[in-house]
Amino acid sequence: MTMRPSTERHGRLLASPWWRAGLAVLAGALPALAFPAPSLWWLAWVALVPWMLLVRSALTARRAALEGWLGGAGFLLAVHHWLLPSLHVFILVLAALLGLLWAPWGLLVRRLLGGVPGPGRVAAALLVVPAGWIGVELVRSWEYLGGPWGLLGASQWQVAPALRVASVGGVWLVGFLVVGVNTALVALVSAPRARTVAVAGALVCAAVVAVVWGWAPVPELAGTVRVAVVQPGVVDGVGSVQRRFDREEELTRELAGQRVDLVVWGESSVGQDLGNRPDLRDRLAALSRSVGADLLVNVDARRSDRPGIFKSSVLVGPEGPTGDRYDKMRLVPFGEYIPARSLLGWATSVGKAAGEDRRRGSAQVVMRLPDTRGRGLLVGPLVCFESAFPDMSRQLAGDGAQLLVAQSATSTFQHSWAPAQHASLAALRAAETWRPMVHATLTGVSTVADPRGRIVGERLGTDRSAAAVYDVPLARGTSPYVRTGDWAVYGSLTVLALYGVVELLVWLVGKAARASR
């Protein structure tokens, strides 16, 4: 039987290493469309299929590893493309380095789904391939490798059943199920001998979501707290630090008489250390008296009492700073410090990398608001990038925080996908912890999520300069995820370890059999 010309061309393209390399990059980038701003959340459940089909068809293990690497680089470039104006060509270097983490995942895909796999291999793939993906996400989530921005499970931030799943197993369990469904679809297409197992795998993933949705506990509401968010908007040019403070002061004065319990300013909202600027300290205290509530501001300045520049959440009351202060612990690589500066310091010459490393705090802090109107509220602050780390919000909830507050800016990336991506994390962190989250920005997208991860009130978009008041629902109780921790991660690592042992035993038995011939 003669192949049709189109089929022959298709075969030649898939055989070409250059075409396959390009397809791997594009296929790896596809899942980025599931995140904001496109927010095609449903795409995540099928977006890995083209990449996995390509990798499983690789003729050699080396080729599968290469296409895993290239796809990982494509994914990172797509999810972080908004960093290009700041890092320029250096973002290609970072994507290439971190993309290497997906090379072993490519080997797993080819090993378990390559050729014509039977039911046993497909059953193993339904566990091992998602576990391998979670392993990759865990490693790249290390703050010194860039942090957990763009975890696949985070793409489901607006899907109520997925948020319920997150309350049980965190973003990790959501990601495991997403990759599990993709794996089942790949097997359904490429493994005719094991389609029953593939369908069963997809049904199990659906059943897990259904069981969690139907039987997992939900937070018990316990009143509300009135929180005001002050978003000054874009303030550029000479004197921008002082003019931004003036605008924040003006917006805050508008809150007088609205009976708010807390006013939140964004990241770097105060550009001078309050120990060196008693005039600013007095103005903030006067604002607190005027509004009748404490202000949670964020100071980005060289400290008067310690060497170096810190980004600090500072609580200010009617008499001035209350003494509650949190110094940011997890800094943005290249944005706030340069890893191995002696080796990579050249990045400052090709982009907007940090000219001086910021200093780190040593511990998370839970702040107590004064017991006005019967609301002695416990607040857990996070600064910008830290809202991407599920362990930090879980720690604050475990320490008793009733309200999570993330102070952010994103002013450098105002017209990109970054503000919407960042704001979406508030819903996920709230659902995981059963603690509402306020995401307050200088510019960007300010938003509030309730204890189930649902958006409360009006989102302040990138074009807004305003103060908004939110009646934020509180909740009592502890979510399963806060109680049990990252069991989905440990389960994935256990699956990978058991698979490694089985593969080793198979190799040893094969070696012994060959030696006995």
Side-chain angles (χ1 to χ4, degrees):
M1 183 177 179
T2 304
M3 293 178 65
R4 290 180 296 179
S6 61
T7 305
E8 292 176 348
R9 285 195 299 272
H10 181 262
R12 287 197 299 270
L13 288 178
L14 286 181
S16 166
W18 294 106
W19 274 102
R20 290 184 66 96
L23 288 173
V25 173
L26 292 175
L30 185 61
L33 297 176
F35 295 87
S39 287
L40 304 177
W41 63 265
W42 52 267
L43 184 62
W45 299 89
V46 298
L48 297 179
V49 171
W51 183 12
M52 293 172 68
L53 286 174
L54 182 70
V55 171
R56 71 165 292 278
S57 69
L59 294 179
T60 65
R62 176 181 292 184
R63 188 74 209 178
L66 175 63
E67 289 167 2
W69 173 23
L70 292 173
F75 174 72
L76 292 173
L77 277 173
V79 172
H80 297 85
H81 72 275
W82 41 271
L83 286 171
L84 188 60
S86 295
L87 296 183
H88 300 301
V89 69
F90 197 70
I91 192 175
L92 301 177
V93 177
L94 291 176
L97 290 174
L98 292 177
L100 281 168
L101 295 173
W102 275 270
W105 185 76
L107 291 173
L108 285 178
V109 171
R110 180 180 182 273
R111 173 67 174 163
L112 293 169
L113 294 173
V116 186
R121 268 208 287 158
V122 168
L126 290 168
L127 283 175
V128 177
V129 171
W133 183 277
I134 296 302
V136 172
E137 291 196 325
L138 177 65
V139 174
R140 80 174 183 89
S141 292
W142 189 37
E143 58 178 306
Y144 298 105
L145 289 181
W149 191 279
L151 297 182
L152 193 58
S155 66
Q156 306 303 296
W157 66 277
Q158 56 187 329
V159 183
L163 292 174
R164 186 76 64 83
V165 170
S167 74
V168 173
V171 65
W172 310 106
L173 181 58
V174 180
F176 187 98
L177 293 174
V178 170
V179 181
V181 170
N182 277 273
T183 304
L185 293 175
V186 170
L188 194 63
V189 170
S190 62
R193 293 169 48 206
R195 283 180 176 149
T196 300
V197 176
V199 171
L203 291 176
V204 167
C205 291
V208 169
V209 176
V211 168
V212 170
W213 177 256
W215 282 282
V218 295
E220 180 183 351
L221 297 183
T224 61
V225 61
R226 283 176 68 81
V227 179
V229 171
V230 173
Q231 178 173 304
V234 178
V235 180
D236 292 325
V238 178
S240 59
V241 172
Q242 186 59 51
R243 288 188 291 111
R244 181 171 61 238
F245 187 95
D246 293 342
R247 178 58 177 160
E248 290 164 330
E249 183 178 43
E250 176 187 1
L251 291 170
T252 303
R253 289 194 185 282
E254 296 175 4
L255 299 170
Q258 297 193 45
R259 295 181 60 81
V260 297
D261 299 296
L262 177 67
V263 180
V264 182
W265 289 14
E267 179 189 18
S268 304
S269 49
V270 179
Q272 292 88 24
D273 183 72
L274 297 179
N276 289 327
R277 291 293 303 273
D279 58 322
L280 296 183
R281 187 174 64 239
D282 292 345
R283 287 168 68 180
L284 289 170
L287 282 176
S288 176
R289 292 192 297 272
S290 172
V291 174
D294 281 10
L295 278 62
L296 184 64
V297 301
N298 189 270
V299 179
D300 182 1
R302 195 173 302 279
R303 291 273 287 271
S304 58
D305 58 339
R306 295 175 61 183
I309 301 174
F310 289 80
K311 283 191 176 181
S312 305
S313 300
V314 178
L315 196 63
V316 180
E319 305 302 322
T322 65
D324 287 318
R325 182 187 192 109
Y326 166 65
D327 296 325
K328 186 177 183 181
M329 297 170 61
R330 297 186 182 172
L331 305 179
V332 179
F334 298 97
E336 294 170 336
Y337 79 104
I338 296 181
R341 182 177 284 271
S342 60
L343 179 65
L344 300 176
W346 58 269
T348 58
S349 64
V350 297
K352 299 177 182 177
E356 177 182 349
D357 292 349
R358 297 305 196 260
R359 299 297 182 93
R360 300 173 186 273
S362 58
Q364 292 188 259
V365 174
V366 174
M367 301 177 177
R368 181 180 291 276
L369 296 186
D371 194 10
T372 58
R373 297 191 291 277
R375 302 180 191 278
L377 193 71
L378 295 175
V379 177
L382 298 165
V383 182
C384 192
F385 176 62
E386 293 180 329
S387 69
F389 291 85
D391 66 300
M392 296 194 75
S393 53
R394 182 165 61 85
Q395 179 67 47
L396 289 171
D399 288 344
Q402 299 165 281
L403 174 70
L404 303 177
V405 176
Q407 297 172 298
S408 182
T410 64
S411 52
T412 306
F413 314 107
Q414 184 80 348
H415 302 293
S416 71
W417 292 0
Q421 282 186 27
H422 200 178
S424 71
L425 296 173
L428 194 62
R429 300 287 90 87
E432 287 175 336
T433 60
W434 287 4
R435 296 295 178 263
M437 179 171 243
V438 174
H439 179 85
T441 68
L442 286 184
T443 66
V445 176
S446 295
T447 189
V448 176
D450 75 3
R452 293 193 185 188
R454 299 171 298 195
I455 300 303
V456 175
E458 174 192 20
R459 287 161 60 100
L460 298 179
T462 56
D463 59 339
R464 298 291 302 279
S465 174
V469 178
Y470 300 87
D471 289 310
V472 183
L474 301 174
R476 61 171 60 94
T478 306
S479 75
Y481 176 61
V482 170
R483 287 199 304 269
T484 60
D486 293 323
W487 62 267
V489 172
Y490 301 134
S492 295
L493 296 178
T494 301
V495 166
L496 292 174
L498 291 174
Y499 175 73
V501 170
V502 170
E503 285 290 285
L504 178 61
L505 291 175
V506 169
W507 179 79
L508 290 174
V509 170
K511 182 180 179 181
R514 289 191 298 272
S516 64
R517 289 176 186 170

